[in-house]
């Protein structure tokens, strides 16, 4: 048991560590889109090809490493880490003949960490009034010192490592061993290491290769959607009922949207399916290698459209052949596995304390594609069920704990989610795109909601008539408040009378609860009646507490 726990902690640590590399690359993916636009537009406009060469050199050797180092430094030290990281990486850029993408991904967080440590040691000794001077001095000092270290030590060292890495990749190419990479690549992808593999390994090496040869096959290894599509097509036809429900939408999202995470849950539900993308990916890479094709820049996200946009026109046939063959091989292998080896579906149902849930976050590894789609689907189902809980999506590494939080993630990331947010409630899905699982979740929320509503009546405290008071003819806010409270009462299935009345003509009811805004002029008239004063009549938090917790709780 201890060994299993240690391995689990190691995997969580690796995911947290490698997430920094993914977070550095993902905000800067637009650089590659811009590069593709430039590469496409220059020939169309019949402009000087020297522009293309200069722009490529400037983007790969200067702009990309500087932005990566800036992003990495800012992630660790938000105020000045980015500037110090950009200064530091410049020393490495000036002494290297290769694009220092790897170096930037290391130096950026390192610079931010050193600056944070320096501040922790010396900031307490700074006299009042000199804080700004100290902050600027420390940022310049750390950035300048690391610039010198990179120029004279780390730059030449990483330059040698880049050359050796390129020779290693070149060796795989010449020995026809590239397909064997999928023995390691596909299992790591399914464990949600796809971002670090693509953006942290293949992209830097591919950028270096493309700067020499014009294209690189490395941009196709992880981005090829064929292996995942083959698995999804097989699940659509031969999978379990749950798998069939989500596979169709998942296939479209992966092919057109390029979000590969959508097929990982299908393999995690039936681990033997991993054989399909391994063989499919190896076959596709073999076709790419034999056809001598590659992409001009990374295809991110890895959709068919992004891949073709970054493919030279004369290589389209080879790239499409590799994607198609990898899809077919993966499909037939997955068909064999699904036909001769089936698994029992596990229920994701659990107990959720509805009275504590005030917000929901759908979390995935990167905090973008799959979780964004899941949040959209859940919002739709909540609206249909008349449940008003805000839903957001984030990276699992950016979660902030809270007792009022419900975290929804895939089962493969469940342990990490619970570690990041121990006080929150958790609900695990097998697939972000499976609408049936959201229906089950909403059903649980609805049941808990009704239970909470019923409990509030069992306390023995009768919910009174709610009356919003207004003065003169100013009753617009009161009209909106009445509509809001009636909506909440309908959601909670609470029979309650809600209305608005003029303070001048009302006959005060001792069993009613009167609600007024803080600046209500005739407050003295409410001395002998039960009343609630709110800052804003349109606010909903007090009204929901009133119906779920009771009058005594709100007036306390």
């Amino acid at each position: 048991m201890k060994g299993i726990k240690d391995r689990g902690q190691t995997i969580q640590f690796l995911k947290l560590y490698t997430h920094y590399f993914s977070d550095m690359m993902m905000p800067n993916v637009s650089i590659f889109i811009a590069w593709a636009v430039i590469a496409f537009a220059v020939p169309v406009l019949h402009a000087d090809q020297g522009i293309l060469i200069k722009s490529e050199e400037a983007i790969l050797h200067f702009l990309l490493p500087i932005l990566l180092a800036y992003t990495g430094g800012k992630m660790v030290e938000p105020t000045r880490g980015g500037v110090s990281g950009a200064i530091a990486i410049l020393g490495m850029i000036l002494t290297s003949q290769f694009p220092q993408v790897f170096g930037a991904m290391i130096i950026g967080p390192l610079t931010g960490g050193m600056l944070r440590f320096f501040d922790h040691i010396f900031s307490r000794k700074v006299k009042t009034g000199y804080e700004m001077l100290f902050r600027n001095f420390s940022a310049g000092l750390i950035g300048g010192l690391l610039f010198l270290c990179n120029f004279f030590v780390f730059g030449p060292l990483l330059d040698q490592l880049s050359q050796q890495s390129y020779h290693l990749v070149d060796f795989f190419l010449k020995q026809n061993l590239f397909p064997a990479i999928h023995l390691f690549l596909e299992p790591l992808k399914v464990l949600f290491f796809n971002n670090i593999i693509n953006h942290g390994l293949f992209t830097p090496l591919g950028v270096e290769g493309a700067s020499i040869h014009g294209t690189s096959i490395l941009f196709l290894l992880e981005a090829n959607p064929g292996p995942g599509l083959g698995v999804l097509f097989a699940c659509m036809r031969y999978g379990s009922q749950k798998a069939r429900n989500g596979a169709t939408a998942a296939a479209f999202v992966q092919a057109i949207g390029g979000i590969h995470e959508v097929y990982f849950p299908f393999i995690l539900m039936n681990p033997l399916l991993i054989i399909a993308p391994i063989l499919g990916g190896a076959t596709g890479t073999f076709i790419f290698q034999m056809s001598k094709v590659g992409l001009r820049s990374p295809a991110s996200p890895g959709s068919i459209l992004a891949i073709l946009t970054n493919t030279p026109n004369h290589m389209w046939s080879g790239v499409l052949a590799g994607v198609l063959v990898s899809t077919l091989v993966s499909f037939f292998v997955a068909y064999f596995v699904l036909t001769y080896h089936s698994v029992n579906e596990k229920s994701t149902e659990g107990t959720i304390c509805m009275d504590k849930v005030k917000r929901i976050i759908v979390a995935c590894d990167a905090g973008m594609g799959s979780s964004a789609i899941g949040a959209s689907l859940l919002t739709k189902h909540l609206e249909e069920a008349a449940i008003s809980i805000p839903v957001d999506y984030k990276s699992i590494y950016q979660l902030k704990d809270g007792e009022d939080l419900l975290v929804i993630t895939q089962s493969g990331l469940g342990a990490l989610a619970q570690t990041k947010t121990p006080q929150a409630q958790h609900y695990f899905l097998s697939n972000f795109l499976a609408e049936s699982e959201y229906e089950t979740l909403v059903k649980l929320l609805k049941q808990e909601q009704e239970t909470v509503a019923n409990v509030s009546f069992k306390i023995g405290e009768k919910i009174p008539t709610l009356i919003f008071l207004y003065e003169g003819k100013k009753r617009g806010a009161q009209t909106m408040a009445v509509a809001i409270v009636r909506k909440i009462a309908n959601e909670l299935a609470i029979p309650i009378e809600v209305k608005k009345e003029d303070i001048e003509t009302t006959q005060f009811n001792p069993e009613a609860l009167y609600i007024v805004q803080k600046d209500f002029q005739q407050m003295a008239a409410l001395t002998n009646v039960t009343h609630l004063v709110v800052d804003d009549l349109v606010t909903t938090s007090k009204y929901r507490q009133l119906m779920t917790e009771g009058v005594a709780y709100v007036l306390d």
Side-chain angles (χ1 to χ4, degrees):
M1 289 296 292
K2 183 179 180 181
I4 295 174
K5 183 178 180 181
D6 291 342
R7 284 195 297 272
Q9 292 176 343
T10 301
I11 290 176
Q12 290 184 26
F13 172 77
L14 288 174
K15 285 184 176 179
L16 183 61
Y17 178 73
T18 56
H19 174 72
Y20 275 94
F21 293 108
S22 174
D23 261 6
M24 276 184 278
M25 183 61 73
M26 292 302 288
N28 298 299
V29 164
S30 54
I31 293 176
F32 300 114
I33 299 175
W35 183 13
V37 171
I38 295 170
F40 175 78
V42 169
V44 172
L45 297 174
H46 302 288
D48 184 4
Q49 293 296 310
I51 298 175
L52 190 59
I53 297 173
K54 290 180 180 179
S55 64
E56 179 179 322
E57 181 178 357
I59 289 173
L60 297 182
H61 286 262
F62 290 94
L63 182 60
L64 181 58
I66 289 174
L67 284 178
L68 286 174
Y70 177 87
T71 305
K74 192 173 182 180
M75 286 167 53
V76 180
E77 214 297 309
T79 56
R80 294 155 297 137
V83 175
S84 294
I87 296 171
I89 194 59
L90 193 58
M92 190 175 292
I93 292 172
L94 296 178
T95 190
S96 174
Q97 60 177 327
F98 288 97
Q100 282 299 340
V101 179
F102 267 135
M105 297 173 82
I106 296 173
I107 293 301
L110 176 63
T111 307
M114 291 183 63
L115 183 58
R116 197 169 188 175
F117 178 76
F118 187 87
D119 287 351
H120 178 73
I121 297 297
F122 296 102
S123 62
R124 300 174 185 175
K125 302 178 182 179
V126 178
K127 294 182 178 180
T128 304
Y130 291 90
E131 292 88 354
M132 181 66 72
L133 178 62
F134 169 78
R135 290 164 68 83
N136 289 333
F137 174 79
S138 61
L141 176 65
I142 299 298
L145 289 176
L146 283 178
F147 173 96
L148 296 174
C149 291
N150 288 333
F151 188 87
F152 292 107
V153 182
F154 300 124
L157 177 61
L158 283 177
D159 203 37
Q160 290 294 322
L161 291 175
S162 295
Q163 291 187 38
Q164 295 302 319
S165 299
Y166 181 77
H167 291 321
L168 179 63
V169 172
D170 192 51
F171 169 79
F172 274 99
L173 275 171
K174 291 179 179 177
Q175 299 298 321
N176 295 322
L177 295 175
F178 246 123
I181 290 178
H182 289 271
L183 286 170
F184 310 97
L185 173 60
E186 300 302 333
L188 288 173
K189 283 176 63 177
V190 171
L191 292 174
F192 298 93
F193 285 96
N194 54 311
N195 287 316
I196 179 57
I197 293 171
N198 191 28
H199 300 306
L201 179 62
F202 292 151
T203 294
L205 293 176
V207 166
E208 294 177 5
S211 65
I212 297 173
H213 301 294
T215 61
S216 175
I217 190 177
L218 292 172
F219 295 142
L220 285 166
L221 296 185
E222 193 275 340
N224 178 12
L229 285 175
V231 172
L232 293 174
F233 289 150
C235 289
M236 288 167 55
R237 182 66 180 84
Y238 305 103
S240 63
Q241 185 60 45
K242 180 184 291 187
R244 294 181 188 183
N245 291 338
T248 303
F252 178 82
V253 169
Q254 184 183 359
I256 305 301
I259 302 170
H260 291 208
E261 288 91 344
V262 294
Y263 81 85
F264 300 167
F266 294 89
I267 295 178
L268 292 174
M269 285 191 294
N270 191 344
L272 277 180
L273 279 176
I274 191 62
I275 302 171
I278 289 176
L279 296 179
T283 307
T285 299
F286 179 76
I287 299 295
F288 297 145
Q289 192 172 352
M290 292 298 99
S291 303
K292 297 181 180 180
V293 297
L295 303 184
R296 287 184 292 248
S297 63
S300 184
S303 68
I304 296 292
L305 298 178
I307 288 174
L308 293 180
T309 300
N310 288 283
T311 302
N313 293 340
H314 66 282
M315 294 184 179
W316 271 31
S317 59
V319 170
L320 288 174
V323 174
L324 178 60
V325 172
S326 62
T327 302
L328 291 174
V329 171
S330 181
F331 171 80
F332 285 114
V333 175
Y335 157 74
F336 178 83
V337 173
L338 291 172
T339 303
Y340 294 96
H341 184 271
S342 60
V343 295
N344 294 324
E345 297 178 354
K346 294 180 180 181
S347 173
T348 58
E349 294 188 17
T351 302
I352 299 174
C353 297
M354 177 63 195
D355 59 326
K356 293 184 178 181
V357 177
K358 299 295 184 293
R359 56 196 176 100
I360 299 175
I361 293 180
V362 183
C364 69
D365 183 68
M368 291 189 223
S370 53
S371 59
I373 296 173
S376 177
L377 290 173
L378 178 58
T379 300
K380 182 188 74 172
H381 284 288
L382 289 175
E383 289 176 350
E384 292 174 353
I387 299 176
S388 57
I389 301 177
V391 181
D392 197 3
Y393 60 92
K394 285 186 179 180
S395 166
I396 197 169
Y397 305 96
Q398 296 175 342
L399 292 175
K400 293 184 179 179
D401 200 12
E403 295 182 353
D404 64 342
L405 175 64
L406 172 62
V407 177
I408 300 174
T409 190
Q410 289 173 314
S411 54
L413 296 172
L416 182 57
Q418 290 175 325
T419 301
K420 294 287 290 182
T421 54
Q423 297 183 56
Q425 299 183 73
H426 295 267
Y427 188 84
F428 305 136
L429 305 173
S430 61
N431 182 6
F432 278 128
L433 301 182
E435 294 213 31
S436 59
E437 297 192 45
Y438 292 109
E439 292 171 358
T440 303
L441 171 61
V442 171
K443 188 184 297 182
L444 285 173
L445 290 172
K446 192 71 175 177
Q447 291 173 351
E448 286 291 323
Q449 191 180 61
E450 292 172 355
T451 301
V452 169
N454 291 334
V455 168
S456 66
F457 284 105
K458 290 178 182 178
I459 295 175
E461 178 186 27
K462 181 181 178 182
I463 300 295
T465 300
L466 296 184
I467 301 175
F468 289 89
L469 291 176
Y470 64 89
E471 300 170 299
K473 296 182 180 180
K474 296 180 180 179
R475 53 187 177 185
Q478 286 79 2
T479 302
M480 294 176 61
V482 169
I484 290 171
V485 173
R486 285 175 178 171
K487 181 180 178 181
I488 296 174
N490 289 335
E491 291 177 4
L492 300 177
I494 297 177
I496 183 173
E497 183 181 4
V498 185
K499 57 184 178 179
K500 62 181 185 293
E501 291 182 357
D502 185 353
I503 183 70
E504 304 295 340
T505 60
T506 187
Q507 298 293 324
F508 287 110
N509 180 359
E511 296 184 358
L513 173 65
Y514 293 89
I515 302 178
V516 296
Q517 202 162 358
K518 184 177 290 186
D519 58 354
F520 195 72
Q521 298 296 321
Q522 303 186 42
M523 197 73 74
L526 306 176
T527 304
N528 297 321
V529 296
T530 306
H531 64 276
L532 171 66
V533 181
V534 295
D535 294 328
D536 184 1
L537 287 173
V538 184
T539 185
T540 60
S541 59
K542 286 286 186 182
Y543 306 148
R544 188 173 291 275
Q545 286 180 348
L546 178 67
M547 295 187 205
T548 57
E549 305 291 346
V551 177
Y553 177 85
V554 175
L555 296 181
D556 185 12

